[in-house]
Amino acid sequence: MVDTLAPGCDDMEGPLLNVHHCPTPNQIQHPYTKFSEWKFKLFRVRSLESTSSEEEQYSRETSCTSSQEASPGLQQDSEDLSMRSEPGPVTDIKWPEKTVDNNHEPEVQRLEGEAHSTFLQQLCRICGASFKMDGQNRKYPVHGPVDSETLKVLRRREKKATSWPDLIYKVFKIDVKTDLDTIHPTHFCHNCWNIMNQRFSHNSSEVYFPHNKTVEWMPHSETCNVCKSTKSWGKRKAGIQTNALLAKKKKTGVDIVKKAKNLHHVKTNKAFNQIKVHCKKIHLDTSLLVVDYPADFIKSISCRVCEHILSDPVQASCKHLFCKSCILKYIKIMGCYCPSCRYTCFPTDLTTPVKSYLNIFNSLVIKCTVPGCDEEITLEKYGAHISKHKETKGKEAYAHINKGGRPRLHLLSLTRRAQKHRLRELKMQVRAFADKEEGGDVKSVCLTLFLLALRARNEHRQADELEAIMEGRGAGLHPAVCLAIRVNTFLSCSQYHKMYRTVKATTGRQIFQPLHALRNAEKALLPGYHPFEWNPPLKNVSTRTDVGIIDGLSGLNRSMDEYPVDAISKRFRYDAALVSTLKDMEEDILEGLKSHDLDDYLTGPFTVVIKESCDGMGDVSEKHGSGPAVPEKAVRFSFTIMTISVLDTNGSVRIFEETKPNSELCCKPLCLMLADESDHETLTAILSPLVAEREAMKTSELMLEVGGILRNFKFIFRGTGYDEKLVREVEGLEASGSHYICTLCDSTRAEASQNLVFHSITRSHSENLQRYETWRANPYRESVDELRDRVKGVSAKPFIETLPSIDALHCDIGNAAEFYRIFQLEIGEVYKNSNSTKEERKRWQVILDKHIRKKMKLKPIMRMNGNFARKLMSKETVEAVCELVHNEERQEALRELMDLYLKMKPVWRSSCPAKECPELLCQYSFHSQRFAELLSTKFKYRYDGKITNYFHKTLAHVPEIIERDGSIGAWASEGNESGNKLFRRFRKMNARQSKFYEMEDVLKHHWLYTSKYLQKFMNAHIMLKNQGFTLDVEQRVPQEEELGCSMETLEPMEF
């Protein structure tokens, strides 16, 4: 019957018509509730019947006689309804009663199943769409092999799947191997085919999946969605006419979405306009073309962003062309997607167009923009032409740049057999030439041709390598050795290249590797090279593993006018940096397993303890000439892997422990930023993504291949490498001059001065968060002083979790500054008269500086630093100061105070006080109490009702922290502080006009400087150099190819 037509299949032909016109019982008839649907369906069937042949009409009339006799009422009603011009009400239809013989039920079920199967063959197995929607009726078998086009894509991507069931399972996660023909369709549509091709070819195409989920196919039933029509062809009802001016239109969800899209278009248009206005000054307009080209051709040579002629053209992965400066500026402002098709586009995906396109592009003829010059020149020669004009008033800044680049030849994409077939004639000609001229040496002829081709294309780097191989000179040093030499000697690219060319010209041998070989060696040492996986996947973190240096401000949505020029940040993704560090320590991990008699194939889980450090580097600006210096402050966030342990049958075994935790060689830089550490908003915006990645890694396990075996790693993060200023900044506490003196406990300055020793650690990150919420909400409606006393000095939101500890380096510096002040006061005898003027205190300081400079060779400084503090805190300095103090009792007090301090200092400065100074550790409580007694008695004039922050921490919290962590010095920020001088040296080494790229180079080379893999090469190089090995220029080493790949190459040469 007509009512069995499936949706979207109203015009089916062939065997489906035979099913429709066969006598069908009433069980499979779906009566329509609207008269107009009957009218439409009957008209549709009659139009199909009129196109058939006379034999088909005769067979249908003879086969349908029994159905007309069985249901005369229905037949009569159908004829009457089809002849009416106006549809009547639905109640006029008289439905026949269902009188079907039970003997015909098997036949009915068979016909119904055949109709259902016929409808299934017209639907897609994956999305359920009809093949008629395609227009070309393209479909593909579900259980067949892949077509030739898809097979090429799979071979190019080195995929092993060759059948559609495997591809469907990989893309859509649908298992079609257990399908039944009576339930599931056997073909899928072209749209799903496009989705699978896009998945493996990474090409953009306008395809979409019509459902959020795949279709679930069910067996046929009376309420089958396949056989039941979903269209309603009812008569349009006449609505009540209302006044359009008075009626208020209700906003729907579609309207809201349209409004949001309009806002997005406004923002996009604003960015486009700003870029276009800027590009008018430096790019050429298409109206300067001499020939009136078609509009499509003009579009192909124009930038999709600024609509000018391409300048330094680059091609995105979606094959759209842009000016390099325009697309980089657009990506920086609007996001990483193509402006034309909104396909994902990253700066690293931009490539140079093929050479054939560049040849056509450079041959375009344009008019000169200088007034009075009517010359017509090509784009390739425009830069040279415009430079000849002394006074250019036109596009003087424009100079077409073509960096070139080797295009992908079609020959290289062929299989080896096809390449042999295409080059058959050339191979025969080369063989004939070699037999005639070179004695049959085909290899030498081919290598010489290749060498000449490289020289002709100015690719001298590859030509030098090929020439060295042809002459048997070998490859020289290993690239890792050359990279270690360059990084540890702080050589810039030009300096290293000059050394490379000089050594090659002097010795006649290629000892050092060229720069491109060093760049290839860098890739394996930088984050983003090794694949890894997290179980479970990290929340709100991408699953991509090939992530290198990223912009630290990429998450900030700012327009072009509001983009912060002074805040520049570059960082690695935290998980990728940890993976690169673990792969760099692969030999140490395997050696630790071997030294503890553990199995090499132990999969873990390994527990990795990480120390986090963050500190400001102060003013890092380059001072040139006279005038006021503009401060340019920088901040670095770094981490150090302290220990690696693994669970064994005997418990936890520590297989790695950092021997020098405060060295700059083990402090890995994670984020560099040109920003002020006091700028809470900028610091929060840059470090918040790092904090989110760290929080996600706490509840997940890393799956990484180490030593050829997949192993599990868990991470424990301890934020201890922060000085007091930064701890107060990231934990939301008040500044160091606050009424609340300590970052570890809730003591006020008065309480700490009254009780110098007996305090315990009470602060924590979670408690600071709760106190911030109390400070923000003020639930008890208290005054400012009462609320401040309740929250204990918390005034901002904490955004980094720190571990309550003492920074040993800054503690030593702070205590030395306090002793320096005590020496001055003792010289002025303030214990007798505390009312001293500012001029007198300045005079005492001058006397002290002159005396210790004469006795201790200590030059006066503006601000206390680590080196001055170490020399100042000694018994020799006290003896020198006692020469200026005339009271013997005060001299003895000073000597005792310094002696007690020198006995307490090793406890918090050593990496493991239980092993290095166990006696001093046991006596620390006694020494601290005696030290506090001296401060409260002999030096009461200084510490009556007040005490410094670091004196309080030194006397009150050191034993508790050592009991908890085992050490204070090992968890200090000294390694991060030592990296400050490295930052300045690497910045000088990689000086560039753009600070944006300069920060990338500094971060990359600082990371390579801390690589343990390169440190081993550098240590071996230094050891051989100290042993006196020299380079003999006249000596010819016959087997340099083998020596260049091993450490033995270092023996006969010195650099």
Side-chain angles (χ1 to χ4, degrees), residues 192-208:
C192 298
W193 182 87
N194 275 335
I195 293 175
M196 285 188 280
N197 272 264
Q198 181 182 355
R199 167 66 174 81
F200 292 101
S201 63
H202 298 292
N203 290 330
S204 61
S205 57
E206 296 181 358
V207 296
Y208 62 94

Side-chain angles (χ1 to χ4, degrees), residues 632-766:
E632 187 180 40
K633 297 186 177 182
V635 181
R636 177 177 57 255
F637 187 95
S638 56
F639 68 92
T640 304
I641 293 185
M642 300 293 290
T643 60
I644 300 178
S645 57
V646 64
L647 288 176
D648 193 22
T649 55
N650 299 327
S652 179
V653 179
R654 183 172 296 180
I655 60 174
F656 171 79
E657 184 174 3
E658 183 59 54
T659 56
K660 297 180 179 179
N662 291 323
S663 172
E664 70 272 11
L665 296 176
C666 62
C667 191
K668 312 286 286 188
L670 186 63
C671 178
L672 292 178
M673 64 193 88
L674 291 178
D676 190 357
E677 60 178 328
S678 302
D679 189 354
H680 185 82
E681 290 76 13
T682 304
L683 205 64
T684 304
I686 296 176
L687 295 181
S688 291
L690 289 176
V691 176
E693 293 166 5
R694 181 185 69 171
E695 294 299 323
M697 287 187 288
K698 285 183 180 180
T699 58
S700 184
E701 288 189 7
L702 173 65
M703 313 287 290
L704 180 64
E705 184 175 320
V706 176
I709 299 175
L710 195 64
R711 308 178 195 266
N712 304 339
F713 292 88
K714 292 182 179 180
F715 296 95
I716 299 176
F717 301 93
R718 297 170 61 91
T720 59
Y722 301 87
D723 59 0
E724 182 165 347
K725 179 180 178 181
L726 204 60
V727 167
R728 292 180 177 272
E729 184 72 28
V730 301
E731 286 288 359
L733 304 177
E734 296 176 353
S736 57
S738 170
H739 178 64
Y740 294 92
I741 185 174
C742 187
T743 59
L744 306 178
C745 64
D746 300 333
S747 301
T748 62
R749 196 172 298 271
E751 294 173 353
S753 61
Q754 293 173 5
N755 182 8
L756 297 177
V757 178
F758 300 104
H759 295 277
S760 60
I761 298 175
T762 56
R763 291 187 184 270
S764 64
H765 181 71
S766 58

Side-chain angles (χ1 to χ4, degrees), residues 828-844:
E829 298 181 350
V830 180
Y831 59 90
K832 294 181 180 179
N833 182 18
S834 59
N835 298 325
S836 58
T837 62
K838 186 177 180 180
E839 290 75 12
E840 291 177 344
R841 293 175 183 270
K842 185 67 176 177
R843 182 170 54 85
W844 301 337

Side-chain angles (χ1 to χ4, degrees), residues 433-470:
F433 176 82
D435 293 340
K436 182 179 179 181
E437 301 291 341
E438 300 296 332
D441 192 357
V442 179
K443 180 180 178 181
S444 298
V445 174
C446 293
L447 289 176
T448 305
L449 285 174
F450 186 38
L451 179 63
L452 293 176
L454 292 175
R455 297 290 187 191
R457 293 170 58 90
N458 293 327
E459 297 181 1
H460 298 290
R461 295 181 303 180
Q462 299 183 17
D464 292 340
E465 295 179 1
L466 180 60
E467 189 175 5
I469 295 175
M470 293 173 62

Side-chain angles (χ1 to χ4, degrees), residues 96 98 105 196 237 339 347 514 660 670 698 712 855 860 937 947:
K98 298 180 181 180
E105 288 185 1
M196 285 188 280
K237 296 181 180 180
K660 297 180 179 179
L670 186 63
K698 285 183 180 180
N712 304 339
K855 296 292 184 179
T937 56
I947 191 173

